[in-house]
Amino acid sequence: MFREVAQAGSFSEAADRLHYSQPAISHHVSRLELELGATLLIRKPRGLELTDVGHEVLRLADALLEQVHDAETELRAMVSQAPERMRLGGFQTSTVTVIATALELFWLEHPSTRVTVLEADPIDHIDGLRSGRLDLAIVFDHPEGPITLDERVEVSYLHEDPMLIALPEQHQLAALEEVPLEALRSERWLEGAGPEGSSSVFLMRACEAAGFEPDIVFACGNYDAVQLLIRNGMGVAMVPELSVGVLPAGVAIRRPARVSPIRRIGTAALRTRHRPAHFGAMERALAAAFAGYRATRPRLTTR
Protein backbone atom coordinates (compact mmCIF):
# COMPACT_ATOMS: atom_id res chain seq x y z
CA MET A 1 0.00 0.00 0.00
CA PHE A 2 2.83 2.39 0.81
CA ARG A 3 4.41 1.75 -2.58
CA GLU A 4 1.17 2.54 -4.42
CA VAL A 5 0.73 5.76 -2.42
CA ALA A 6 4.32 6.79 -3.13
CA GLN A 7 4.00 6.03 -6.86
CA ALA A 8 0.60 7.69 -7.24
CA GLY A 9 1.40 10.69 -5.03
CA SER A 10 -2.11 10.41 -3.63
CA PHE A 11 -3.94 8.29 -1.07
CA SER A 12 -7.17 8.41 -3.07
CA GLU A 13 -5.45 7.36 -6.33
CA ALA A 14 -3.72 4.47 -4.54
CA ALA A 15 -7.08 3.44 -3.09
CA ASP A 16 -8.60 3.36 -6.59
CA ARG A 17 -5.74 1.24 -7.93
CA LEU A 18 -5.92 -1.27 -5.08
CA HIS A 19 -9.74 -1.25 -4.73
CA TYR A 20 -9.63 -0.18 -1.09
CA SER A 21 -11.21 2.78 0.63
CA GLN A 22 -9.05 5.87 1.08
CA PRO A 23 -9.27 5.72 4.92
CA ALA A 24 -8.06 2.08 4.86
CA ILE A 25 -5.01 3.02 2.80
CA SER A 26 -4.23 5.98 5.07
CA HIS A 27 -4.62 3.78 8.16
CA HIS A 28 -2.20 1.12 6.91
CA VAL A 29 0.44 3.66 5.89
CA SER A 30 0.14 5.33 9.30
CA ARG A 31 0.58 1.92 10.96
CA LEU A 32 3.71 1.34 8.89
CA GLU A 33 5.12 4.70 10.00
CA LEU A 34 4.29 3.83 13.61
CA GLU A 35 5.98 0.42 13.39
CA LEU A 36 9.10 1.92 11.80
CA GLY A 37 9.16 4.90 14.13
CA ALA A 38 9.72 7.29 11.23
CA THR A 39 7.76 9.63 9.00
CA LEU A 40 7.66 8.36 5.42
CA LEU A 41 5.36 10.88 3.73
CA ILE A 42 4.89 14.60 4.16
CA ARG A 43 1.41 15.84 3.25
CA LYS A 44 1.57 19.03 1.20
CA PRO A 45 -1.17 21.12 -0.48
CA ARG A 46 -0.17 19.84 -3.92
CA GLY A 47 0.45 16.23 -3.03
CA LEU A 48 2.78 14.01 -1.04
CA GLU A 49 6.55 14.20 -0.62
CA LEU A 50 8.73 11.28 0.44
CA THR A 51 11.17 11.75 3.28
CA ASP A 52 14.67 10.27 3.05
CA VAL A 53 13.47 7.25 4.99
CA GLY A 54 10.43 7.07 2.71
CA HIS A 55 12.66 6.88 -0.36
CA GLU A 56 14.61 4.02 1.21
CA VAL A 57 11.41 2.16 2.17
CA LEU A 58 10.18 2.57 -1.41
CA ARG A 59 13.42 1.08 -2.74
CA LEU A 60 13.13 -1.88 -0.39
CA ALA A 61 9.44 -2.30 -1.20
CA ASP A 62 10.26 -2.59 -4.91
CA ALA A 63 12.84 -5.29 -4.18
CA LEU A 64 10.54 -7.18 -1.81
CA LEU A 65 7.61 -7.12 -4.21
CA GLU A 66 9.83 -8.41 -7.01
CA GLN A 67 10.93 -11.31 -4.76
CA VAL A 68 7.30 -12.07 -3.93
CA HIS A 69 6.42 -12.01 -7.64
CA ASP A 70 9.29 -14.40 -8.46
CA ALA A 71 8.33 -16.72 -5.61
CA GLU A 72 4.68 -16.74 -6.69
CA THR A 73 5.65 -17.50 -10.28
CA GLU A 74 7.98 -20.33 -9.27
CA LEU A 75 5.46 -21.91 -6.93
CA ARG A 76 2.67 -21.74 -9.51
CA ALA A 77 4.91 -23.59 -11.94
CA MET A 78 5.63 -26.26 -9.31
CA VAL A 79 2.01 -26.84 -8.39
CA SER A 80 0.93 -28.50 -11.62
CA GLN A 81 -2.71 -28.91 -10.60
CA ALA A 82 -3.15 -25.15 -10.22
CA PRO A 83 -4.39 -23.52 -13.45
CA GLU A 84 -1.94 -21.23 -15.18
CA ARG A 85 -2.81 -17.55 -15.08
CA MET A 86 -1.74 -14.64 -17.22
CA ARG A 87 -2.26 -11.01 -16.18
CA LEU A 88 -1.73 -9.01 -19.35
CA GLY A 89 -1.57 -5.24 -19.55
CA GLY A 90 -2.86 -3.62 -22.74
CA PHE A 91 -4.52 -0.51 -24.09
CA GLN A 92 -7.76 0.02 -25.99
CA THR A 93 -6.45 -0.13 -29.54
CA SER A 94 -4.36 -3.21 -28.82
CA THR A 95 -7.28 -5.06 -27.24
CA VAL A 96 -9.59 -4.67 -30.24
CA THR A 97 -6.94 -5.50 -32.84
CA VAL A 98 -4.08 -7.81 -31.84
CA ILE A 99 -4.93 -9.27 -28.43
CA ALA A 100 -7.92 -11.24 -29.72
CA THR A 101 -5.78 -12.75 -32.48
CA ALA A 102 -2.93 -13.45 -30.06
CA LEU A 103 -5.26 -15.29 -27.70
CA GLU A 104 -6.32 -17.68 -30.47
CA LEU A 105 -2.67 -18.59 -31.03
CA PHE A 106 -1.81 -18.65 -27.33
CA TRP A 107 -4.64 -21.01 -26.35
CA LEU A 108 -3.48 -23.52 -28.95
CA GLU A 109 -0.44 -24.07 -26.70
CA HIS A 110 -1.98 -23.32 -23.30
CA PRO A 111 -5.74 -23.91 -23.58
CA SER A 112 -6.38 -23.98 -19.82
CA THR A 113 -4.62 -20.70 -18.96
CA ARG A 114 -6.86 -18.03 -17.44
CA VAL A 115 -6.10 -14.65 -19.02
CA THR A 116 -6.99 -11.26 -17.55
CA VAL A 117 -6.41 -8.13 -19.65
CA LEU A 118 -6.08 -4.81 -17.82
CA GLU A 119 -6.28 -1.66 -19.96
CA ALA A 120 -4.27 1.36 -18.82
CA ASP A 121 -1.56 3.79 -19.87
CA PRO A 122 1.86 2.20 -20.60
CA ILE A 123 3.45 4.05 -17.68
CA ASP A 124 0.95 2.40 -15.32
CA HIS A 125 1.77 -0.99 -16.85
CA ILE A 126 5.47 -0.56 -16.08
CA ASP A 127 4.53 0.12 -12.46
CA GLY A 128 2.24 -2.92 -12.59
CA LEU A 129 5.10 -5.17 -13.66
CA ARG A 130 7.38 -3.84 -10.93
CA SER A 131 4.76 -4.31 -8.22
CA GLY A 132 3.72 -7.79 -9.41
CA ARG A 133 0.19 -6.81 -10.50
CA LEU A 134 1.01 -7.81 -14.11
CA ASP A 135 2.94 -10.65 -15.71
CA LEU A 136 3.34 -9.11 -19.16
CA ALA A 137 2.31 -5.83 -20.76
CA ILE A 138 1.86 -4.32 -24.21
CA VAL A 139 3.28 -0.81 -24.06
CA PHE A 140 4.15 1.98 -26.47
CA ASP A 141 6.37 5.05 -26.66
CA HIS A 142 7.91 7.14 -29.42
CA PRO A 143 11.53 7.42 -30.60
CA GLU A 144 11.99 10.88 -29.06
CA GLY A 145 10.38 9.86 -25.78
CA PRO A 146 11.22 6.28 -24.80
CA ILE A 147 9.66 4.70 -21.74
CA THR A 148 11.71 5.19 -18.60
CA LEU A 149 12.97 1.77 -17.54
CA ASP A 150 15.36 0.34 -15.00
CA GLU A 151 17.39 -2.84 -14.86
CA ARG A 152 14.35 -4.89 -13.79
CA VAL A 153 12.14 -4.29 -16.85
CA GLU A 154 12.87 -4.98 -20.51
CA VAL A 155 10.87 -4.07 -23.63
CA SER A 156 10.89 -6.02 -26.90
CA TYR A 157 9.57 -3.80 -29.70
CA LEU A 158 7.22 -5.50 -32.17
CA HIS A 159 5.47 -2.87 -34.26
CA GLU A 160 5.52 0.77 -35.41
CA ASP A 161 2.06 2.33 -35.38
CA PRO A 162 1.72 5.62 -37.36
CA MET A 163 -0.45 8.43 -36.04
CA LEU A 164 -3.00 9.67 -38.59
CA ILE A 165 -5.49 12.50 -39.04
CA ALA A 166 -9.21 11.74 -38.70
CA LEU A 167 -11.70 14.31 -39.98
CA PRO A 168 -15.32 14.43 -41.21
CA GLU A 169 -15.90 13.17 -44.73
CA GLN A 170 -17.38 16.52 -45.71
CA HIS A 171 -14.37 18.48 -44.48
CA GLN A 172 -12.70 20.45 -47.28
CA LEU A 173 -9.30 18.91 -46.48
CA ALA A 174 -10.64 15.36 -46.76
CA ALA A 175 -10.03 15.56 -50.51
CA LEU A 176 -6.27 15.61 -49.89
CA GLU A 177 -4.18 12.45 -49.55
CA GLU A 178 -2.01 14.18 -46.93
CA VAL A 179 -3.27 16.90 -44.60
CA PRO A 180 -0.94 19.72 -43.43
CA LEU A 181 -1.31 20.08 -39.67
CA GLU A 182 -1.02 23.85 -39.89
CA ALA A 183 -4.20 23.89 -41.99
CA LEU A 184 -6.02 22.49 -38.93
CA ARG A 185 -4.86 25.29 -36.64
CA SER A 186 -8.37 26.65 -36.02
CA GLU A 187 -10.09 23.27 -35.67
CA ARG A 188 -11.68 21.79 -32.56
CA TRP A 189 -9.55 18.81 -31.55
CA LEU A 190 -10.81 15.58 -29.99
CA GLU A 191 -8.38 13.48 -27.95
CA GLY A 192 -8.97 9.74 -27.77
CA ALA A 193 -6.23 8.85 -25.30
CA GLY A 194 -7.46 10.96 -22.41
CA PRO A 195 -5.93 14.24 -21.19
CA GLU A 196 -3.15 12.47 -19.27
CA GLY A 197 -2.54 9.61 -21.69
CA SER A 198 0.77 8.97 -23.42
CA SER A 199 -0.81 9.29 -26.88
CA SER A 200 -1.74 12.92 -26.18
CA VAL A 201 2.01 13.68 -26.35
CA PHE A 202 1.99 12.89 -30.08
CA LEU A 203 -0.69 15.48 -30.81
CA MET A 204 0.89 18.21 -28.70
CA ARG A 205 4.37 17.73 -30.14
CA ALA A 206 3.21 17.50 -33.75
CA CYS A 207 1.09 20.65 -33.46
CA GLU A 208 3.90 22.48 -31.66
CA ALA A 209 6.21 21.67 -34.59
CA ALA A 210 3.51 23.06 -36.92
CA GLY A 211 3.47 26.33 -34.95
CA PHE A 212 0.30 26.12 -32.88
CA GLU A 213 -1.30 24.63 -29.78
CA PRO A 214 -4.36 22.45 -30.49
CA ASP A 215 -7.69 23.51 -29.03
CA ILE A 216 -8.65 20.23 -27.33
CA VAL A 217 -12.38 20.37 -26.56
CA PHE A 218 -12.89 16.70 -25.73
CA ALA A 219 -10.77 13.93 -24.18
CA CYS A 220 -12.09 10.58 -23.06
CA GLY A 221 -9.58 7.76 -23.57
CA ASN A 222 -11.73 6.01 -26.21
CA TYR A 223 -11.03 6.33 -29.93
CA ASP A 224 -14.37 4.77 -30.88
CA ALA A 225 -16.19 7.65 -29.18
CA VAL A 226 -13.90 10.15 -30.90
CA GLN A 227 -14.65 8.69 -34.33
CA LEU A 228 -18.39 8.97 -33.74
CA LEU A 229 -17.99 12.63 -32.79
CA ILE A 230 -15.91 13.24 -35.92
CA ARG A 231 -18.62 11.63 -38.06
CA ASN A 232 -21.09 14.15 -36.62
CA GLY A 233 -18.79 17.07 -37.44
CA MET A 234 -17.74 17.80 -33.86
CA GLY A 235 -14.02 18.15 -34.61
CA VAL A 236 -10.85 16.47 -35.86
CA ALA A 237 -8.36 14.15 -34.18
CA MET A 238 -4.97 12.49 -34.38
CA VAL A 239 -5.50 8.74 -34.08
CA PRO A 240 -3.24 5.66 -34.21
CA GLU A 241 -3.55 3.39 -37.22
CA LEU A 242 -4.55 0.54 -34.89
CA SER A 243 -7.79 2.40 -34.15
CA VAL A 244 -9.05 2.64 -37.74
CA GLY A 245 -9.82 -0.99 -38.53
CA VAL A 246 -13.59 -0.40 -38.35
CA LEU A 247 -14.63 3.19 -39.00
CA PRO A 248 -18.14 4.62 -38.83
CA ALA A 249 -19.51 5.97 -42.11
CA GLY A 250 -18.56 9.59 -42.75
CA VAL A 251 -15.04 9.54 -41.26
CA ALA A 252 -11.96 10.11 -43.43
CA ILE A 253 -8.46 9.03 -42.38
CA ARG A 254 -5.46 10.81 -43.89
CA ARG A 255 -1.73 10.90 -43.29
CA PRO A 256 -0.33 14.15 -41.86
CA ALA A 257 1.87 16.02 -44.36
CA ARG A 258 5.61 16.45 -43.67
CA VAL A 259 5.44 14.83 -40.22
CA SER A 260 5.26 11.16 -39.32
CA PRO A 261 4.52 10.60 -35.61
CA ILE A 262 4.94 6.93 -34.76
CA ARG A 263 4.14 4.85 -31.70
CA ARG A 264 6.63 2.06 -31.03
CA ILE A 265 4.71 -0.87 -29.59
CA GLY A 266 6.31 -3.74 -27.73
CA THR A 267 5.96 -6.21 -24.89
CA ALA A 268 7.36 -5.36 -21.47
CA ALA A 269 8.30 -7.92 -18.83
CA LEU A 270 10.43 -8.27 -15.74
CA ARG A 271 13.93 -9.65 -16.12
CA THR A 272 13.66 -12.74 -13.95
CA ARG A 273 15.26 -16.15 -13.72
CA HIS A 274 11.95 -17.91 -13.17
CA ARG A 275 9.99 -17.46 -16.38
CA PRO A 276 7.02 -19.80 -16.91
CA ALA A 277 6.60 -21.30 -20.36
CA HIS A 278 3.24 -19.60 -20.94
CA PHE A 279 4.86 -16.16 -20.60
CA GLY A 280 7.06 -16.87 -23.61
CA ALA A 281 4.10 -18.39 -25.47
CA MET A 282 2.11 -15.17 -25.03
CA GLU A 283 5.03 -13.07 -26.26
CA ARG A 284 5.33 -15.24 -29.38
CA ALA A 285 1.58 -15.05 -29.96
CA LEU A 286 1.61 -11.25 -29.71
CA ALA A 287 4.54 -11.01 -32.13
CA ALA A 288 2.66 -13.22 -34.61
CA ALA A 289 -0.53 -11.17 -34.16
CA PHE A 290 1.28 -7.92 -34.95
CA ALA A 291 2.90 -9.54 -37.98
CA GLY A 292 -0.54 -10.64 -39.16
CA TYR A 293 -1.93 -7.16 -38.63
CA ARG A 294 0.82 -5.64 -40.78
CA ALA A 295 -0.04 -8.04 -43.58
CA THR A 296 -3.71 -6.99 -43.55
CA ARG A 297 -3.54 -3.42 -42.21
CA PRO A 298 -6.43 -1.21 -43.37
CA ARG A 299 -6.15 1.09 -46.36
CA LEU A 300 -6.55 4.79 -45.67
CA THR A 301 -9.88 5.73 -47.13
CA THR A 302 -13.23 7.32 -46.32
CA ARG A 303 -15.73 4.94 -44.77
Side-chain angles (χ1 to χ4, degrees), residues 129-150:
L129 291 169
R130 290 168 176 155
S131 66
R133 296 194 310 271
L134 293 175
D135 302 312
L136 187 69
I138 308 173
V139 299
F140 64 82
D141 63 8
H142 56 96
E144 294 78 24
I147 294 176
T148 301
L149 302 174
D150 55 30

Side-chain angles (χ1 to χ4, degrees), residues 20 27 29 43 45 57 73 86 97 135 138 155 157 164 174 198 201 203 210 213 235 239-240 244 250 255 269 295-296:
Y20 280 84
H27 169 74
V29 172
R43 284 79 168 168
V57 171
T73 300
M86 166 65 66
T97 49
D135 302 312
I138 308 173
V155 175
Y157 290 101
L164 308 169
S198 297
V201 174
L203 174 62
E213 181 178 344
V239 301
V244 303
R255 297 192 185 278
T296 60

Side-chain angles (χ1 to χ4, degrees), residues 36-297:
L36 293 175
T39 299
L40 305 179
L41 296 164
I42 300 174
R43 284 79 168 168
K44 292 195 170 184
R46 294 188 177 181
L48 302 172
E49 180 178 307
L50 290 175
T51 64
D52 290 342
V53 177
H55 279 291
E56 183 63 14
V57 171
L58 179 59
R59 184 188 68 80
L60 293 170
D62 285 338
L64 288 170
L65 287 168
E66 183 178 353
Q67 290 178 346
V68 170
H69 179 267
D70 285 350
E72 181 184 35
T73 300
E74 185 177 4
L75 290 171
R76 280 179 177 171
M78 293 174 61
V79 184
S80 57
Q81 65 269 26
E84 294 177 340
R85 297 186 183 277
M86 166 65 66
R87 297 166 298 176
L88 178 64
F91 46 91
Q92 184 209 2
T93 50
S94 70
T95 303
V96 300
T97 49
V98 297
I99 288 181
T101 301
L103 282 174
E104 292 183 39
L105 300 171
F106 174 76
W107 276 327
L108 291 175
E109 292 188 49
H110 297 271
S112 63
T113 300
R114 276 65 167 164
V115 179
T116 301
V117 177
L118 304 175
E119 291 186 356
D121 192 81
I123 296 175
D124 294 326
H125 286 334
I126 298 299
D127 286 340
L129 291 169
R130 290 168 176 155
S131 66
R133 296 194 310 271
L134 293 175
D135 302 312
L136 187 69
I138 308 173
V139 299
F140 64 82
D141 63 8
H142 56 96
E144 294 78 24
I147 294 176
T148 301
L149 302 174
D150 55 30
E151 68 280 359
R152 292 173 298 157
V153 180
E154 60 182 347
V155 175
S156 300
Y157 290 101
L158 301 174
H159 179 71
E160 290 190 345
D161 189 29
M163 301 295 290
L164 308 169
I165 301 298
L167 62 168
E169 179 184 8
Q170 67 273 20
H171 196 287
Q172 60 182 356
L173 296 176
L176 302 177
E177 291 187 5
E178 295 186 346
V179 176
L181 273 181
E182 57 269 23
L184 300 172
R185 179 188 302 268
S186 60
E187 297 288 340
R188 293 161 57 88
W189 285 86
L190 313 173
E191 175 54 68
E196 306 299 330
S198 297
S199 284
S200 63
V201 174
F202 294 95
L203 174 62
M204 298 302 296
R205 291 196 175 185
C207 291
E208 180 182 357
F212 71 97
E213 181 178 344
D215 178 20
I216 300 175
V217 299
F218 177 80
C220 73
N222 187 302
Y223 285 109
D224 293 337
V226 165
Q227 291 169 1
L228 290 174
L229 290 173
I230 292 171
R231 179 192 67 181
N232 295 329
M234 297 293 100
V236 301
M238 179 171 284
V239 301
E241 186 184 76
L242 278 178
S243 72
V244 303
V246 180
L247 287 174
V251 176
I253 299 293
R254 300 291 181 263
R255 297 192 185 278
R258 296 184 297 278
V259 296
S260 55
I262 288 188
R263 300 194 305 180
R264 302 186 304 180
I265 300 176
T267 55
L270 287 180
R271 303 176 191 270
T272 177
R273 293 171 296 176
H274 308 294
R275 191 168 179 77
H278 64 292
F279 284 24
M282 179 61 79
E283 288 177 318
R284 292 191 299 274
L286 287 168
F290 274 111
Y293 168 81
R294 285 193 293 275
T296 60
R297 66 201 321 165

